[in-house]
Amino acid sequence: MIKLVVGLGNPGRQYENTRHNAGFLFLDDLAAAWGCSWVSEPRFEGWLAEGGMASVRVMLLKPETFMNRSGQSVGKVARYYKLQPEEILVVHDELDFNVGVARLKKDGGHAGHNGLRDIIAHLGSNAFYRLRIGIGRPAAGRPVAEYVLSAPAKKELEMMRDAFEYCSGFMRQIVTGDMASVMSQLNAGAPKTNEINC
């Protein structure tokens, strides 16, 4: 079962709607759907919300440490609540997927994503689940850092939010540990619309 869902992003108003904050945006939508309230938790260096689904207690976490140090916050929560890596789902932006594409996977490397790199270092394991939200790659010649830290176009944001909504429909199965079923559906690429492949 999943007991902690982590959304990756950067704190601060200037980063709120940027591509790199896809994880934060997803968790904000999920918390709203679940009726959860965010509470600042300095001891965990993040914002926590708590809800329940299918009789399972689920914590939502948005680290306030900035992306490159996300593992500090995740590690503190995991140690305090004695969570195993397999009980953690990390939601993050994915350059290698087109906008609106999302995939669920377990373990693997960080593929250059500094948030994942730091989480792996602080957990001492890569055996957590990842929900990867596609943001696409920048045009040739545009620096990746500039691209991920900028806001997507209105249409792109709509596509991302459609993907959030669609993926949220799998959360009950994810939380209860029915990962094989979710992966077979979500990763098969069945589109919700002609534009969203999630």
Side-chain angles (χ1 to χ4, degrees), residues 3 15 21 28-29 35 40 50 58 62 94-95 100 103 123 127 131 145 176 189 197:
K3 298 180 180 178
Y15 299 113
N21 273 34
D28 283 338
D29 285 0
S40 178
E50 188 174 326
V58 184
K62 295 192 297 184
E94 178 57 72
L95 280 166
R103 297 288 185 268
L123 292 180
L131 180 60
T176 56
N197 184 19

Side-chain angles (χ1 to χ4, degrees), residues 17-189:
N17 292 307
T18 60
R19 295 177 174 89
H20 220 21
N21 273 34
F24 275 15
L25 295 171
F26 179 84
L27 253 63
D28 283 338
D29 285 0
L30 191 61
W34 287 4
C36 301
S37 298
W38 291 105
V39 177
S40 178
E41 288 283 3
R43 60 179 170 165
F44 298 136
E45 298 184 80
W47 287 83
L48 273 181
E50 188 174 326
M53 175 167 274
S55 301
V56 179
R57 176 187 178 216
V58 184
M59 291 178 290
L60 308 181
L61 171 67
K62 295 192 297 184
E64 285 282 289
T65 52
F66 285 93
M67 181 69 78
N68 294 359
R69 302 175 72 186
S70 299
Q72 286 186 188
S73 177
V74 177
K76 287 181 177 181
V77 174
R79 287 189 294 274
Y80 184 84
Y81 289 103
K82 297 180 172 57
L83 301 177
Q84 297 301 310
E86 296 85 358
E87 297 174 315
I88 300 172
L89 170 69
V90 177
V91 185
H92 65 89
D93 58 305
E94 178 57 72
L95 280 166
D96 289 333
F97 295 163
N98 290 333
V99 178
V101 173
R103 297 288 185 268
L104 178 68
K105 69 173 288 188
K106 182 175 182 286
D107 56 47
H110 54 73
H113 193 292
N114 289 326
L116 294 178
R117 188 198 309 269
D118 201 56
I119 291 172
I120 292 170
H122 280 268
L123 292 180
S125 171
N126 68 348
F128 51 90
Y129 287 90
R130 303 102 183 271
L131 180 60
R132 302 180 290 168
I133 307 294
I135 61 170
R137 283 197 168 272
R142 185 178 183 185
V144 169
E146 175 191 303
Y147 175 76
V148 300
L149 293 176
S150 63
K154 181 180 178 181
K155 184 60 178 177
E156 289 179 280
L157 184 58
E158 289 174 357
M159 293 169 71
M160 289 172 64
R161 290 210 179 273
D162 282 347
F164 295 165
E165 182 180 353
Y166 182 62
C167 293
S168 292
F170 291 98
M171 288 306 298
R172 178 178 292 273
Q173 291 169 275
I174 289 173
V175 164
T176 56
D178 189 12
M179 299 302 190
S181 176
V182 174
M183 288 181 184
S184 69
Q185 297 175 72
L186 191 62
N187 297 358

